[in-house]
Amino acid sequence: MLDVTNPRTLGRSICIITGASRGFGRALAHEVSRWLQPGSVLLLVARSETLLQELKGELWSFIVDQQSAVHCVAADLSTREGLDETVRVARQEAVTEMDRVLLINNAASLGNLSNFATFTGIDEVNSYLSFNVSSALVLTAGILQAFPRVPLQQRSVVNVSSTFALRPLPSWVLYCTAKAAREMMFRVLAEEQPHVKVLSYSPGPMDTDMQRDILRLTGVKNHLLPCQESAEKLVKLLLDDDFVSGTHLDFFELKKLTSRDDTTM
Amino acid sequence: MSSPARTDLGRALCIITGASRGFGRTVAREMSRLLKPGSALVLTARSVDELRALQAELAESEAGRAGLLVECVVADLSEADGLESIVKASKVAFSEDMDHVLLVNNAASLGDVSRYAKSFTDMAEVDSYLSVNVSSSLCLTASVLQAFPQRPGQLRTVVNISSLCALQPFRSWVLYCTGKAARDMMFRVLAEEEPDVRVLNYAPGPLDTAMQTVARSRTADPDVRKSFSDMFAQGQLLTCEASCSKLMKLLLEDGYTTGAHIDVYDV
C-alpha cells in the first residue's frame, strides 16, 4: 500500500523503460529507482544485453537497500518476439499487487536525415515507422492487457516525445512524422482509457548519442541538457500528477512554470 | 497581391490515388473538367474493374474527347513495384509542354475501428496499416518529386487528403487518427523543405461514401458511432461533389499557405 506519510513516491511499482541502455532511458532508470518503494520491479529494455547488465550493476543499492528487482530484457522492439518477451517478463515479474504500473516508451531512433524526395524506398520507411510507431502501440497495448485495471492501482504511460512532434523541421521527415504519429496515438489512448494517465513528454535536447549524431549529420549544435536534469523533471511531473491525461508537456515549459512558482510562493 | 483566380489548372499531369471510388473518383471527374487539353490523368487504385469503368467514362466525356489522356494503373501503393508502375506511367503520360504536375494523395483505409487501442497487440497489423496509409504516400510523393524536378514555368502541387482526425483524437479510431496525424506532419515537413512545391493538407469533411458506412456501422465507441449515424440520419453528410468543389476552389485560387491544414468547412 502507498505510504501516506510520504506521498511523494512512485510507490511499490513495476516500471518498464524502453531504450534503457543509454542516454535518456538510462538516466530515467536511475531517477525512477530513487522514488520507488521496496518491493518494486524495474524492467529495463534495450537491444544491448551488455549495457543493460552494466546499468543493473549501477543500480545495486536500489536492489539491495530497497529490496527491489531489476530485470534486463535484451530485446529488439521492432520485432514481435522482442515485444512479446518484454510483456511476458513484465507479466511474470509483477506477482504481488503493485501500487502503480509505469510504462515509459522511450526507445526511438533518429532515422535518416535527408531531403523528403530521397525517401522513395518503402522498406526503409516501413522499418522506421515499425520501430518508432508500431512498437510503442503494440507494447503499450500488451502492457495494458497484462495489467488490467485494478482498484487503487495507478497505471501511467509516458510517450517520450519531442518538440518536433508538433512542428516540422526540414530534412527530418521520418522523425517528425513518427513523433506526430505517436502524439496522436497516445491522445487517442488517453481519450479511451480514463483510468490510464497518459503523458507525452518532450525532454529537450540532451547530452546523448542521438544528439551527437545530430551534430555530426547536420552540424547543428544545440545547447544540451544533462539527461539527468530532464529525467528529474519527468519524474517530478509523474509525482505531482497534476497534468491532464493525453497532454504534451515540454521540459522548457515546466522550467518556466517552476520559476513562476518560486516567485509567487 | 492576389491575382484573379485561375479558371483551370493548366496543362497538367495529375496523379490521383484511390481513384476508383468515393472521393478519389470524384476528384478525377472534377479535375478532368479543369485541365486544359493536352493534360493527362494518371488514376491508380487496386480495383481494376472500377478503374477501367472510370477511364471509359472520362474518355467519353467532353474533356476526354477534347484530348485529355486518361491512364489507369492498377497497383498496390504499399508495394515497391506498385509505386514504380505509377511513376513509370506518369513519366510516359508527361509531356514537355505541361506546366503543372499535381499529385493527390487520396488512397487510405479506415483500419479496424471496432477495437480500442489496447487491443492492438499484433505488430503486423499496425505495420501494414502504417505502410498503406503513411509510408506509401511518403514514397509516392518523393518518387513523383524526383521524377519531375523543379523546372521554370512549371508548378508542382501536392495534396494530402487529410481529416479532422489528423487534429483530434477519436475513441476506437487509433489507427486512422495516427495515420492522418502522421501524414499532416509529413506534408508540413515537405512544405518547409520545398518552398517551390505547393502543399495542401485538405480535410474533406464527413463524406457520404463506403468508408463512412463502415464508420457508422463498425465503430466500437458508442458516442463516436452515434455521432456518425446521427450525421447520416440528419442528412449532414457531404456529397463528394460538394467537398471536391471546395478543394478545386482552393487549388484554382492557389492562395493557401503551403503546408496548411484546411477543412472543407473553412472554405
Side-chain angles (χ1 to χ4, degrees):
Chain A
M1 283 299 292
L2 212 61
D3 178 2
V4 296
T5 61
N6 179 18
R8 284 188 74 73
T9 161
L10 291 173
R12 188 181 62 206
S13 300
I14 175 162
C15 176
I16 303 133
I17 303 172
T18 66
S21 59
R22 294 180 290 147
F24 188 55
R26 191 164 178 139
L28 275 172
H30 279 282
E31 185 61 20
V32 164
S33 72
R34 292 177 47 215
W35 297 91
L36 290 171
Q37 294 272 281
S40 289
V41 173
L42 195 49
L43 213 154
L44 307 173
V45 192
R47 279 170 306 172
S48 166
E49 174 77 47
T50 315
L51 290 174
L52 285 175
Q53 290 298 337
E54 200 183 274
L55 173 57
K56 181 172 175 173
E58 288 170 8
L59 293 165
W60 67 268
S61 75
F62 167 70
I63 299 167
V64 171
D65 302 342
Q66 287 287 78
Q67 302 136 59
S68 288
V70 173
H71 295 282
C72 301
V73 181
D76 181 346
L77 292 175
S78 65
T79 65
R80 91 159 310 130
E81 296 74 26
L83 291 162
D84 286 349
E85 177 64 8
T86 305
V87 175
R88 189 190 67 77
V89 174
R91 218 189 265 265
Q92 182 184 296
E93 291 313 318
V95 284
T96 51
E97 238 174 59
M98 293 288 177
D99 295 324
R100 184 194 285 255
V101 178
L102 172 59
L103 169 62
I104 302 180
N105 289 291
N106 166 73
S109 61
L110 192 55
N112 191 1
L113 299 186
S114 188
N115 282 343
F116 190 103
T118 64
F119 291 100
T120 56
I122 202 160
D123 289 344
E124 179 186 8
V125 182
N126 281 344
S127 171
Y128 185 82
L129 293 179
S130 184
F131 178 58
N132 288 275
V133 185
S134 309
S135 94
L137 176 55
V138 172
L139 179 61
T140 302
I143 294 297
L144 290 178
Q145 283 196 19
F147 298 94
R149 188 180 162 206
V150 155
L152 302 177
Q153 181 188 80
Q154 180 168 10
R155 294 178 299 163
S156 312
V157 176
V158 177
N159 165 35
V160 177
S161 185
S162 166
T163 191
F164 300 112
L166 307 179
R167 57 190 183 89
L169 190 59
S171 302
W172 286 58
V173 67
L174 291 184
Y175 188 84
C176 290
T177 298
K179 289 305 192 199
R182 288 166 67 116
E183 193 76 19
M184 176 55 80
M185 200 162 89
F186 286 100
R187 284 173 71 194
V188 173
L189 181 70
E191 283 283 312
E192 290 178 358
Q193 298 275 342
H195 301 285
V196 177
K197 208 71 190 284
V198 180
L199 174 63
S200 283
Y201 175 70
S202 178
M206 300 170 288
D207 58 351
T208 59
D209 288 343
M210 187 180 273
Q211 281 294 332
R212 279 183 271 283
D213 288 341
I214 291 166
L215 174 59
R216 182 172 51 82
L217 295 167
T218 69
V220 174
K221 190 166 183 22
N222 292 305
H223 171 71
L224 302 179
L225 295 165
C227 291
Q228 193 204 335
E229 196 181 334
S230 193
E232 279 171 17
K233 286 290 191 275
L234 172 55
V235 173
K236 182 179 193 302
L237 284 169
L238 294 171
L239 290 167
D240 290 346
D241 196 24
D242 200 17
F243 56 91
V244 172
S245 188
T247 207
H248 177 107
L249 289 174
D250 187 290
F251 170 87
F252 294 108
E253 271 170 42
L254 184 59
K255 211 162 160 52
K256 272 188 268 163
L257 285 173
T258 4
S259 342
R260 199 178 67 210
D261 285 344
D262 287 342
T263 58
T264 56
M265 294 177 54
Chain B
M1 271 299 289
S2 65
S3 40
R6 300 176 293 185
T7 52
D8 61 70
L9 293 170
R11 190 172 295 107
L13 168 69
C14 178
I15 305 156
I16 302 168
T17 67
S20 61
R21 299 183 289 156
F23 193 64
R25 181 167 59 186
T26 303
V27 172
R29 288 171 173 154
E30 294 302 311
M31 199 67 85
S32 71
R33 292 191 250 274
L34 295 174
L35 299 175
K36 277 196 154 97
S39 292
L41 267 180
V42 174
L43 307 176
T44 179
R46 283 170 306 169
S47 45
V48 56
D49 294 337
E50 287 161 315
L51 261 189
R52 295 258 174 262
L54 179 59
Q55 184 184 36
E57 177 196 312
L58 292 172
E60 281 305 298
S61 71
E62 197 181 316
R65 284 179 282 114
L68 172 70
L69 175 66
V70 182
E71 290 296 336
C72 287
V73 182
V74 180
D76 183 338
L77 289 176
S78 66
E79 300 283 325
D81 50 14
L83 290 169
E84 259 171 56
S85 63
I86 298 166
V87 178
K88 201 161 151 210
S90 302
K91 282 177 166 167
V92 168
F94 183 74
S95 69
E96 291 300 314
D97 60 355
M98 284 177 175
D99 52 29
H100 196 177
V101 175
L102 206 161
L103 170 62
V104 182
N105 288 290
N106 166 76
S109 62
L110 199 52
D112 189 349
V113 295
S114 72
R115 290 154 50 207
Y116 292 98
K118 78 166 201 224
S119 74
F120 286 94
T121 52
D122 180 0
M123 190 77 162
E125 179 183 13
V126 184
D127 282 348
S128 170
Y129 185 84
L130 294 176
S131 183
V132 169
N133 289 274
V134 185
S135 309
S136 77
S137 58
L138 172 53
C139 296
L140 178 62
T141 305
S143 302
V144 168
L145 292 174
Q146 268 200 24
F148 304 100
Q150 178 60 26
R151 283 166 48 189
Q154 187 185 81
L155 187 64
R156 294 184 300 168
T157 302
V158 174
V159 179
N160 165 38
I161 301 305
S162 181
S163 168
L164 179 60
C165 294
L167 308 180
Q168 208 175 298
F170 285 84
R171 290 186 295 272
S172 58
W173 281 47
V174 69
L175 293 183
Y176 191 78
C177 289
T178 297
K180 289 307 189 193
R183 287 164 67 115
D184 258 35
M185 174 56 83
M186 182 196 303
F187 290 103
R188 286 171 68 196
V189 173
L190 176 61
E192 284 285 314
E193 267 189 48
E194 301 275 353
D196 294 325
V197 178
R198 302 283 292 140
V199 182
L200 175 61
N201 286 316
Y202 177 69
L207 304 174
D208 193 2
T209 60
M211 187 182 271
Q212 189 67 225
T213 308
V214 174
R216 67 174 169 270
S217 57
R218 306 252 312 144
T219 294
D221 186 81
D223 295 334
V224 175
R225 191 170 68 248
K226 182 171 194 304
S227 70
F228 284 121
S229 50
D230 284 353
M231 275 194 288
F232 173 68
Q234 289 156 26
Q236 287 167 348
L237 295 181
L238 298 172
T239 60
C240 290
E241 289 74 17
S243 182
C244 191
S245 76
K246 299 289 186 186
L247 172 58
M248 294 302 129
K249 181 171 193 280
L250 286 167
L251 293 174
L252 288 168
E253 286 173 357
D254 198 27
Y256 56 90
T257 303
T258 188
H261 174 105
I262 301 182
D263 188 279
V264 64
Y265 295 117
D266 296 334
V267 185

